[in-house]
Amino acid sequence: MAVQAGSLSLAMSDEHEMLLVAVREFAQREIVPVAAEYDESGEFPLDTVRKMGEMGLMGIETPEEYGGAGMDTLAYVLTMIEIAKADASHSTILSVNNSLYCKGILKFGTERQKREWIRPVASGAEIGAYSLTEPMSGSDASNMASRAILNDAGTHYIINGRKNWVTSAPFADRIVLFSMTAAEAGHRGITAFLIDSKAPGFSRGKTEPKLGIRASATSEIIFDDYACPVEQVLGGVGQGFKIAMTVLDAGRIGIAAQALGIAEAAYAAALSYARERHAFGAPIGSYQMIQQKIADMKTRIAAGRALIYQAILAKQRAEQHGGRYTTEASMAKLFCSEAAAFVTDEALQIHGGMGYSKELPLERYYRDARITRIYEGTSEIQRMVIARNELGLR
Ligand code: CAA
């Protein structure tokens, strides 16, 4: 595979090929056999998560000196696709460690913060989380009620408030938290903090009972006079909103890859079924109504993959020459998440009653795909971001 944009190109190296084969083999051998069971129980799959860590999959883009694998965004995307094909919950947990947690610290952290806070999570020894959302602010992310107030001695921020929809929170050892240090300044009053979940003043609230990605634990977190040392401010006071948005740009490419992986798994199942299942004396794939579905599914998957590769190239360009890749990341996330909804729905339909049964993974793909249109920014927010950037409105 090779994709080109200007002087930049995206090509599969031998290292990418080896990674792809190893991750595919691991996902099919270790994750596929347990995916339905974890989905049913809603248990967090710590065993397989640890194994992903041992394979170096929890910090793919993190440099080796900070405990990661030192690979690139294409490697991360290929991994997300393969893990999501096996089980979306595992890919969600993987994406938070890799992307939402490590990315912000790598880009905005001090050398000391990088050494102390990245290694345990990038190596997979510990679980990381990212906490932006609050009960009264989801899409309108800067409208926060939580407060972080500097103490008189100027040594600690005293944090109070509730955050929710925090992926991996029930098991997270470390969290990148966004909280308001100067409410009057609006989004410029938000600061990012590095939170140790074992410190006093931190607790977990309700764990969400979810429609899909049921093995990826999600809960509220509560701060009650949590004293965060000033050394654990990430990227400067008042810089939190920009950090949150920058991290989400990268994160959205990962969610696009996750959605594509789920879609590819559903498509592969539908293709086999269309060949094997007979009705009215012929394989159902010989009928034009099924052929139309196959053609539309295949085309959307291919288009989604192209948008992801375009976003990777835009990210490379921004990293080398400055600027942002927000529009490309949002387009990839928007299209792939909606393609996953379409493909999982059509794949289930091709399977008829069997698709609706828990005996096959189709209904799980269908439920799991649904979150990709919501988290890391809803489809509505992606459309808003794309249109605002195009129109030069802000
Ligand atoms: N990169 C860097 N900076 C950015 C940026 C980006 N992508 N997008 C915006 N900014 C900056 C702007 O330049 C602006 O900076 P100035 O202070 O210099 O003016 C500032 O941020 C404010 O920008 P806007 O005026 O555009 O902000 P807004 O309030 O109008 O809206 C938004 C921004 C795009 C709607 C944003 O709030 C958003 O993305 N909302 C969705 C939030 C989201 O994705 N939540 C999911 C959380 S993670 C999750 O799902 C849980 C999990 O665990 C997986």
Side-chain angles (χ1 to χ4, degrees), residues 1-5 9-12 20 73-74 77-78 81 253 256 260 264 302-316 328 332 336:
M1 180 218 46
V3 182
Q4 198 130 16
S9 71
L10 200 61
M12 287 276 280
L20 183 62
T73 308
L74 177 58
V77 157
L78 295 171
I81 293 172
I253 299 178
L260 191 78
E264 287 195 353
R305 201 173 261 272
L307 281 172
I308 293 175
Y309 291 153
Q310 173 181 278
I312 298 175
L313 282 171
K315 180 168 179 282
Q316 275 181 14
E328 289 84 353
C336 289

Side-chain angles (χ1 to χ4, degrees), residues 96 100 130 132-133 138-142 165-167 187-188 241-242 245-246 248-249 252 324 326 374-378 381-382 384-385 388 394:
V96 179
L100 291 184
Y130 167 102
L132 179 67
T133 303
S139 291
D140 185 8
S142 66
W165 289 108
V166 187
T167 305
H187 70 263
R188 293 186 183 148
F241 194 69
K242 280 209 169 147
M245 293 298 116
T246 304
L248 282 171
D249 282 347
R252 286 166 183 166
R324 287 180 9 196
T326 307
I374 300 173
Y375 64 10
E376 299 205 25
T378 60
I381 288 294
Q382 307 312 325
M384 184 174 122
V385 166
R388 273 190 189 181
R394 265 214 41 255

